[in-house]
Amino acid sequence: MFDYLIVGAGFAGSVIAERLANEAGKTVLIIDTRNHIGGNAYDHYDDHGILVHKYGPHIFHTNSRQVFEYLSRFTEWRPYEHRVLASVDGQLLPIPINLNTVNELYGLNLTSFEVEDFFAKVAEPKDYIRTSEDVVVSKVGRELYEKFFRNYTRKQWGMDPSELDNSVIARVPTRTNRDDRYFTDTYQAMPLHGYTRMFEKMLSHPNIKVMLNTDYREIEGFIPYGEMIYTGPVDTYFNYCYGKLPYRSLEFKHETLNVPVHQKAPVVNYPNEHLYTRCTEFKYLTGQEHQKTSIVYEYPQAEGDPYYPVPRPENAEIYKKYKALADATPGVSFVGRLATYKYYNMDQVVAQALTTYKQITTKPVIELVE
Ligand code: FAD
Ligand code: UDP
C-alpha cells in the first residue's frame, strides 16, 4: 500500500514525490509511460557522447528565489544566459527585438531614444490587447510583426496570431536597449550535470519507488494507494467527456555533425523559411567540449505527444469544465502543464507543485462534533 500514486515523473510529479517522501515521510509510487524520468525536461548523452535534450531545448530561468533554492538542493548550476538569433531577410538578427535588431535590419544607427520614436511611429495602438497579433502590432508595427512573428506563430501553432491569446507572444518582449538576452530573470542557469541527474537526486529516497514504461491505468486496481497526484493531460483522465482539449505537438529531428560548431547562436529561429521553427545547438547550453556537435530541429504538428496547451478563449472554456470536474474529484490532485492546461515554464511548474504539496499536507482535519 502506497500513500500516494503519482502519475508522471516530470517536474510536477517529481517535486511532489520528493516533498512527500523527504518532508512528510509518505510512501510514493511514481509512474510514467515513458522509459525515463524527467518528463519533457529529460536529457541524455547521445550515441556520440553529447548531452542533448530529447524534447527540445530546456533553459532554466526564474525570478523565484524559493524555486531556485529548492532545486539547488539537487544540483549545482552552470551560469547560462540564453541568446537567440532569428533568420530574417537573409540576416541573422537578435530576438527579442532590440535596438541592435532594428539597426542591423534597416542599416540604421539609432540610439535608444530614437528607436523609441521609431517604434512609436510604426506602432498601431490598440485600446485592448486581446490577441497575440495585438501585442506585437501595437508595440512595433506591422512590418516587424510580419518579419519576426506572424509566420513563426502560424508554423508553431497552426493558426494565426490573431487567433491566440495575447499571453503567447507576450512571452517575447521588445526592448529599446541593446540587451539581447532571451530572458531577464534573476536566476538563469543550467543544471551542471544535466536535468536527468537532478531528477535522479530528487527521486532517490527509500520511500519512493519509480515504475517506468507503465500507464497508471495498467496498475489501477492491482497496486493499492491512498491518494493520486495526476500530471498527465486532464482531458485524457476524464475520458474526453467534454471533448478533446487541443495540445500542440512537435517532432524533434536530432542530428550530430562532424564539426565542432554548427551555428552562430544556441538557438536560431526561422520565422519565414523551412518547416521547422528553430534549430538548437546543445553544446552552447551545456558548455560541453567535443569535436562534434549535436543539434535538434523542431517541426510543429497537430497530432503526437502533447507538448503545448493552446491558449485561446474556446479552449479556456473547455478547460473550465474539466477543472470543475477535477475540483470535484476527491483524492486526486491535478498538477503541471498538461493537467492544469497552462503554458507554464519549468519554474512555474515547480512553484505550482510546491504549492500543491503544501495544500495536500495541510488539509484541515474534520473533527466530528457530538
Ligand atoms: P511533463 O514534463 O510533460 O511530465 C508529465 C509526464 O506524465 C510525462 O513524462 C508523461 O509521459 C507522463 N504521463 C502522462 N500520462 C500518463 C499516464 N497515463 N500514465 C503514466 N504517465 C503519464 N520550460 C522552461 O522553463 N524553459 C524552457 O526553455 C522550456 N523549453 C521547452 C521546450 C519545449 C519544446 C517544450 C515542449 C517545453 C519547454 N518548457 C520549457 C516547458 C517545460 O517542459 C515544462 O514546464 C515542464 O517540463 C512541465 O513539467 P510537467 O511535469 O508538468 O509535465
Ligand atoms: N515567437 C515568434 N517568433 C520568434 C519567437 C517566438 O513568433 O522568433 C512567438 C511564437 O508564437 C512562440 C511564442 O512567441 O510560440 C513564444 O515563444 P517562446 O520562445 O517562448 O516559445 P517556447 O520556447 O515556449 O516554444
Side-chain angles (χ1 to χ4, degrees), residues 135-161:
V135 172
V136 186
V137 172
S138 68
K139 267 197 209 139
V140 299
R142 205 154 282 278
E143 185 165 303
L144 289 171
Y145 163 70
E146 284 177 2
K147 287 185 192 293
F148 287 87
F149 291 97
R150 183 160 192 228
N151 295 331
Y152 185 105
T153 302
R154 289 178 143 215
K155 223 184 326 187
Q156 169 72 9
W157 299 94
M159 63 184 75
D160 195 78

Side-chain angles (χ1 to χ4, degrees), residues 300-362:
Q301 326 256 315
E303 302 300 325
D305 277 359
Y307 292 125
Y308 292 84
V310 184
R312 60 196 305 241
E314 41 272 73
N315 300 346
E317 280 308 306
I318 307 173
Y319 172 64
K320 223 197 256 174
K321 292 191 200 166
Y322 282 118
K323 164 96 170 61
L325 209 50
D327 289 344
T329 305
V332 186
S333 304
F334 293 79
V335 197
R337 174 148 148 152
L338 304 172
T340 60
Y341 205 66
K342 299 269 180 328
Y343 188 175
Y344 273 167
N345 293 326
M346 295 180 279
D347 64 319
Q348 295 171 296
V349 171
V350 172
Q352 189 194 40
L354 291 173
T355 303
T356 304
Y357 164 73
K358 278 271 175 266
Q359 284 161 354
I360 57 183
T361 49
T362 54

Side-chain angles (χ1 to χ4, degrees), residues 219-232:
I219 59 110
E220 271 211 308
F222 298 107
I223 300 181
Y225 61 88
E227 295 195 11
M228 183 193 281
I229 312 292
Y230 180 81
T231 76

Side-chain angles (χ1 to χ4, degrees), residues 1-32 37 70 74 198-212 357:
M1 168 84 182
F2 289 93
D3 294 321
Y4 286 89
L5 170 66
I6 301 190
V7 180
F11 267 103
S14 299
V15 167
I16 299 188
E18 185 282 326
R19 290 288 72 206
L20 284 170
N22 258 320
E23 197 182 68
K26 303 290 185 191
T27 53
V28 173
L29 173 63
I30 183 164
I31 192 164
D32 206 299
I37 57 173
Y70 170 72
F74 314 104
M198 180 177 78
F199 280 98
E200 280 165 5
K201 290 224 170 109
M202 287 168 100
L203 296 177
S204 157
H205 189 283
N207 283 12
I208 301 177
K209 299 280 177 269
V210 180
M211 188 185 267
L212 299 174
Y357 164 73

Side-chain angles (χ1 to χ4, degrees), residues 7-12 31-34 39-40 55 57-59 61 214-217 231-233 250 252 278 298 307-308 336-338 344-346 349:
V7 180
F11 267 103
I31 192 164
D32 206 299
T33 42
R34 290 169 166 167
N40 287 337
Y55 305 99
H58 277 70
I59 292 106
H61 56 102
T214 313
D215 192 300
Y216 78 97
R217 287 165 293 199
T231 76
L250 294 171
F252 300 98
R278 59 187 176 189
E298 294 170 55
Y307 292 125
Y308 292 84
R337 174 148 148 152
L338 304 172
Y344 273 167
N345 293 326
M346 295 180 279
V349 171

Side-chain angles (χ1 to χ4, degrees), residues 261-277:
V261 182
H262 168 63
Q263 60 188 23
K264 285 206 170 126
V267 170
V268 177
N269 286 357
Y270 293 91
N272 308 311
E273 315 137 75
H274 308 299
L275 291 174
Y276 48 85
T277 47

Side-chain angles (χ1 to χ4, degrees), residues 41-310:
Y42 171 71
D43 54 13
H44 68 107
Y45 286 88
D46 66 14
D47 291 345
H48 302 269
I50 300 173
L51 185 60
V52 300
H53 299 178
K54 180 166 183 178
Y55 305 99
H58 277 70
I59 292 106
F60 185 79
H61 56 102
T62 190
N63 283 317
S64 165
R65 193 169 71 144
Q66 193 205 355
V67 166
F68 188 70
E69 284 181 353
Y70 170 72
L71 292 178
S72 302
R73 297 179 197 179
F74 314 104
T75 188
E76 293 167 68
W77 299 96
R78 166 181 191 257
Y80 173 74
E81 291 186 322
H82 193 48
R83 286 183 169 79
V84 179
L85 294 174
S87 168
V88 169
D89 290 353
Q91 297 193 70
L92 290 178
L93 301 169
I95 174 116
I97 291 177
N98 62 61
L99 176 58
N100 285 345
T101 316
V102 174
N103 281 339
E104 286 173 38
L105 178 66
Y106 295 116
L108 298 171
N109 199 10
L110 304 178
T111 63
S112 280
F113 295 114
E114 288 164 345
V115 85
E116 261 176 52
D117 290 341
F118 175 91
F119 286 152
K121 276 195 200 105
V122 291
E124 294 176 18
K126 300 252 182 290
D127 289 337
Y128 182 57
I129 309 294
R130 189 174 55 82
T131 71
S132 275
E133 176 182 304
D134 297 343
V135 172
V136 186
V137 172
S138 68
K139 267 197 209 139
V140 299
R142 205 154 282 278
E143 185 165 303
L144 289 171
Y145 163 70
E146 284 177 2
K147 287 185 192 293
F148 287 87
F149 291 97
R150 183 160 192 228
N151 295 331
Y152 185 105
T153 302
R154 289 178 143 215
K155 223 184 326 187
Q156 169 72 9
W157 299 94
M159 63 184 75
D160 195 78
S162 59
E163 298 172 88
L164 279 168
D165 283 2
N166 57 18
S167 59
V168 176
I169 285 189
R171 290 167 61 87
V172 185
T174 304
R175 306 198 182 112
T176 52
N177 58 20
R178 293 180 200 274
D179 188 350
D180 63 347
R181 293 172 305 161
Y182 209 66
F183 309 111
T184 50
D185 301 52
T186 314
Y187 304 96
Q188 303 190 42
M190 298 291 286
L192 186 60
H193 303 291
Y195 289 97
T196 303
R197 184 74 78 83
M198 180 177 78
F199 280 98
E200 280 165 5
K201 290 224 170 109
M202 287 168 100
L203 296 177
S204 157
H205 189 283
N207 283 12
I208 301 177
K209 299 280 177 269
V210 180
M211 188 185 267
L212 299 174
N213 299 307
T214 313
D215 192 300
Y216 78 97
R217 287 165 293 199
E218 293 171 59
I219 59 110
E220 271 211 308
F222 298 107
I223 300 181
Y225 61 88
E227 295 195 11
M228 183 193 281
I229 312 292
Y230 180 81
T231 76
V234 63
D235 57 344
T236 313
Y237 182 89
F238 292 112
N239 292 316
Y240 312 104
C241 64
Y242 298 127
K244 266 194 146 201
L245 269 171
Y247 292 90
R248 192 73 175 155
S249 190
L250 294 171
E251 194 186 308
F252 300 98
K253 197 166 155 257
H254 287 266
E255 278 180 23
T256 300
L257 308 172
N258 218 349
V259 289
V261 182
H262 168 63
Q263 60 188 23
K264 285 206 170 126
V267 170
V268 177
N269 286 357
Y270 293 91
N272 308 311
E273 315 137 75
H274 308 299
L275 291 174
Y276 48 85
T277 47
R278 59 187 176 189
C279 176
T280 300
E281 186 165 0
F282 289 106
K283 277 164 46 182
Y284 281 104
L285 275 48
T286 59
Q288 190 179 355
E289 289 186 12
H290 199 291
Q291 70 269 37
K292 296 187 183 179
T293 193
S294 291
I295 58 175
V296 68
Y297 296 100
E298 294 170 55
Y299 291 82
Q301 326 256 315
E303 302 300 325
D305 277 359
Y307 292 125
Y308 292 84
V310 184

